[in-house]
Each structure stands twice: as structure tokens, then as C-alpha cells.
Amino acid sequence: MRDKGDFLFTSESVSEGHPDKVADRISDTVLDAFLEADPLARVACETMVTTNRIILAGETRGPASVTPEHLMHLAREAVRDIGYDQDGFSWRHASVECHLHAQSSDIAQGVDSAGNKDEGAGDQGIMFGYATTETPSLMPAPIHYAHLVLRTISELRRAGDSRVAGLLPDAKSQVTLRYVDGKPVGATSVVLSTQHEAGMSQPDIHAAVRPLIAEALPEGWMCADDELYINPTGNFVIGGPDGDCGLTGRKIIVDTYGGAAPHGGGAFSGKDPTKVDRSAAYAARYLAKNVVAAGLAERCTLQISYAIGVAHPLSVYVELHGTGQDVDEAHLERTLREMMNLSPRGIREHLKLNAPIYVPTSSYGHFGREAEGAFFTWEKTDLVSDLRSAFGR
């Protein structure tokens, strides 16, 4: 995203009932089951969901008490919690298959600590973190409001609120904001597609969701009615995995910054914290957020890179996008490495990642969720005082 000037920028979100998010939820349910039984369990779980079928696959290392039968039961319960009990996809009747097997010994020997060797990264890769002053959560505004629109509707649906009667779990949003001199000032268009019961009319759906969209946006930000697109296909009864196959890890931009910042390419859900795809992306967000919260910059992008089996990061790069407040970026890079041990072990211990905390992350983004307490430790700003001191603030 450009730092200055006038432009439009768009981000999308999807609900917990979107097929790919159903898959993410089930994969993180499997992960939490293993971590609850053994905080040091290893999990890389992929899920596919389609018409009345759920397939689990991947690699694990954990206690025998976490049986395939138990995981299949938990998969059904996850679908039940999302709200699917339809002819084409039901928690009661869907076929569930479990093809999880033991983690590769070749990967394990690179990751495990032994002798003088610390725990290594579970894979090579580059991970990014980002923060901006655009919203109180220090998230980019387009993805923040795209998530908020869907979360508002989902919470009302789960509560049985009559305002959303007839709406079903699958939904997508897209918010386009106008920026003036690099700052968001209002929405120019909003798209919302929501699954609904047969027989609901388009005017009824429009009347139900328009005020909720307006409430989710800041006052005065609502787009013109002719730029509000609600169920633009005209009908959305067949939805969820019955309407489209879902796979773990296919919504990585929804999961992070809505395209406003780079993404290294690795997905998050279903992976234990030895996988730096997940844990180092959390650490990068944590550090970038603390930099911005400390007032050192209005925007911060942070990149960390790793090699499989190697504990220390190969590089740490910081970009302040010209918004740094008399801060040398090279000095900041060194300071951040001193403040946080960025080895896989250091990250998971600092952020307390070896715990069954991951199901809440599987929808509506992994970042900008500080209100949800202990689950999102990487949203804390507990480095602010140290950062200010380090830069003479």
C-alpha cells in the first residue's frame, strides 16, 4: 500500500462458514487437541471439506491418547459449532476420514534439540509482520472493517438475533476505502455475500444487513447505496463445503493484513509452533506492533527468515516506510533481536504458544484481536517501555 497520496484500497474477509475456513477450523481443532494432551506435540494437519465429506491428513507426533476416533469426533463438533446441519453438509452425517501419520524422522532430527544443538526451525521460509496507526488495533483499515462486518453478523446469528433470521454460516465481505494523503477517510464500496435460507428475498436480505454494515463502519464512512453490493449473484442458498470444496491454508491474505503488507507464503492453521510459518509470523506482528505502539513510527513492516533445522534467524529486516520518528532502522533491527529471542524455542516461550489456543485464530484474522485476552499473546504491547527507553523517548 502506498504511503502517501490519494487512492482506493480493497481487502476481503470470509466467515467461519466459508469452506476454506471450515477446513482451517478443523485443522486448528486437531492441533489444540494434541497440545492439550502434550504441549510439545508436533502437528501439521491439513483438512479438505466437500459435500458431506471431511478428510484429515498430515503428520503428527504426540500421545497415543489422541486417537483418530477422537479427532474425527472433534471434527464433527467443529462443524456443529459453525452451524452446518444441512442436507449437503451436516455434522451428523458427513463422512469423516483420518489419514494423519507419524512425523518424518528426517524433519524431526532437524527440529529437535540435542546435545548443544537448540531446537531448529521446522522449515525454511520468510515471514512478515506489520502494524499501522490506521485503526486502534494497529491493523490496516480495509481488512479491519471487512472482518468486523462479518463478525457482527456472525455474532448475531449465533445469538439467535431476529435481525439476521434466515442467514446461514457462509459469507464473504469486501471493503474498498478511499485514502486521502495516505489516510483512510471512508468507504467507496462494500460487497457482502451471505448464504441464506431458501425463500428469502433480496430486499429482505438487504434490509437485514445494510444497517449492520453501516454500524460496523465509522460514522460517516458508509458508501453510497449504488456502491453497496449485497448478494450480487442474486441467490446464495447452496453454500459452505456443499457449494465449494474447502482446504486448509487457502485464505492467507484474509488471515493477515488483507494485502496491505507482504506475506511470505506460508499458511498458519493446523501447524504447531515449531513451524515458523506460524510462530515467526506471530513474532513479527508482535514486534512490528510494539514499534508502532511505542510511537517510533506510524507504519512498520518486519521480515524474518529461517533455514530448516537452524535455530537462529538468518535475517531480520525492518522498514518504517518513511514514517520513523528519528529512528535508524538498522539500530532498530539490532534492538529487536536483543529484546526477543527469535529462535523457535524463544518465540514459543515468549509468546506462550505451546497451549491449545488456536481455534479462535481460525477465522476473522490472526491479528488485531487483543480484546480476546490470552489467546492472542502476540497482540500485547509489553515492549513499549523498553523500546522507548532504547531510543531515548
Side-chain angles (χ1 to χ4, degrees):
M1 186 189 294
R2 294 199 293 268
D3 301 324
K4 296 182 179 180
D6 299 352
F7 55 89
L8 305 181
F9 194 86
T10 303
S11 294
E12 73 159 347
S13 180
V14 297
S15 72
E16 76 266 31
H18 184 280
D20 295 329
K21 281 291 146 194
V22 175
D24 284 345
R25 167 66 182 272
I26 293 171
S27 290
D28 278 330
T29 297
V30 170
L31 172 61
D32 279 358
F34 273 98
L35 292 178
E36 186 171 21
D38 178 3
L40 299 181
R42 301 281 171 77
V43 179
C45 177
E46 310 290 346
T47 301
M48 184 183 83
V49 290
T50 185
T51 301
N52 270 333
R53 186 175 295 274
I54 302 167
I55 300 172
L56 310 179
E59 303 79 44
T60 66
R61 189 175 75 188
S65 60
V66 186
T67 63
E69 292 74 20
H70 181 55
L71 295 176
M72 290 187 286
H73 167 73
L74 291 178
R76 291 189 188 278
E77 289 300 301
V79 172
R80 181 182 188 180
D81 182 67
I82 292 168
Y84 280 118
D85 190 13
Q86 303 163 12
D87 290 343
F89 192 71
S90 169
W91 68 272
R92 303 172 192 270
H93 309 303
S95 167
V96 185
E97 302 174 30
C98 183
H99 301 285
L100 294 163
H101 59 81
Q103 183 186 53
S104 161
S105 59
D106 289 346
I107 293 176
Q109 72 177 358
V111 175
D112 291 346
S113 59
N116 293 324
K117 175 185 173 298
D118 197 3
E119 180 182 295
D123 201 351
Q124 72 175 46
I126 55 174
M127 296 81 204
F128 288 92
Y130 182 72
T132 173
T133 55
E134 288 181 13
T135 60
S137 62
L138 304 187
M139 285 290 286
I143 189 68
H144 174 84
Y145 292 112
H147 285 322
L148 186 57
V149 166
L150 291 186
R151 290 193 73 184
T152 299
I153 295 171
S154 173
E155 288 166 4
L156 293 174
R157 177 180 64 83
R158 286 174 169 274
D161 193 295
S162 61
R163 286 175 289 175
V164 295
L167 300 189
L168 298 175
D170 194 359
K172 301 178 76 171
S173 66
Q174 185 171 283
V175 174
T176 300
L177 298 185
R178 180 181 299 280
Y179 283 71
V180 175
D181 195 24
K183 307 292 185 184
V185 298
T188 61
S189 65
V190 176
V191 182
L192 176 71
S193 297
T194 178
Q195 186 186 15
H196 57 87
E197 293 177 353
M200 287 191 74
S201 70
Q202 286 298 104
D204 287 344
I205 296 168
H206 191 285
V209 300
R210 188 196 183 283
L212 302 177
I213 295 170
E215 289 173 15
L217 295 171
E219 186 176 356
W221 277 36
M222 185 62 178
C223 65
D225 280 349
D226 61 356
E227 291 293 335
L228 176 60
Y229 302 95
I230 296 175
N231 281 16
T233 64
N235 203 47
F236 190 1
V237 174
I238 301 172
D242 187 32
D244 193 9
C245 180
L247 297 171
T248 301
R250 284 207 301 198
K251 286 292 177 283
I252 58 176
I253 301 303
V254 170
D255 285 344
T256 54
Y257 307 102
H263 193 294
F268 299 159
S269 288
K271 296 177 180 178
D272 74 77
T274 67
K275 279 73 172 177
V276 286
D277 278 344
R278 182 171 216 158
S279 57
Y282 290 177
R285 161 65 178 174
Y286 171 69
L287 294 176
K289 183 175 183 180
N290 275 270
V291 167
V292 174
L296 302 184
E298 293 182 8
R299 294 176 60 199
C300 178
T301 299
L302 191 143
Q303 184 205 63
I304 313 174
S305 70
Y306 292 86
I308 189 169
V310 179
H312 62 83
L314 305 185
S315 65
V316 175
Y317 168 80
V318 174
E319 171 63 58
L320 300 180
H321 306 277
T323 69
Q325 305 299 309
D326 298 319
V327 175
D328 177 72
E329 287 157 330
H331 180 200
L332 181 56
E333 290 162 2
R334 293 191 297 271
T335 301
L336 293 174
R337 294 188 76 154
E338 291 167 0
M339 286 187 174
M340 185 177 185
N341 178 353
L342 290 171
S343 70
R345 182 195 300 275
I347 291 171
R348 63 179 175 79
E349 291 179 351
H350 190 112
L351 297 179
K352 299 178 173 58
L353 298 181
N354 285 103
I357 60 174
Y358 295 102
V359 162
T361 71
S362 63
S363 56
Y364 308 113
H366 293 243
F367 306 129
R369 308 269 294 274
E370 66 273 11
E372 291 167 78
F375 288 104
F376 293 83
T377 56
W378 50 93
E379 292 297 315
K380 293 182 178 180
T381 53
D382 50 359
L383 297 182
V384 164
S385 295
D386 290 342
L387 280 167
R388 287 175 176 167
S389 297
F391 288 88
R393 301 298 198 269

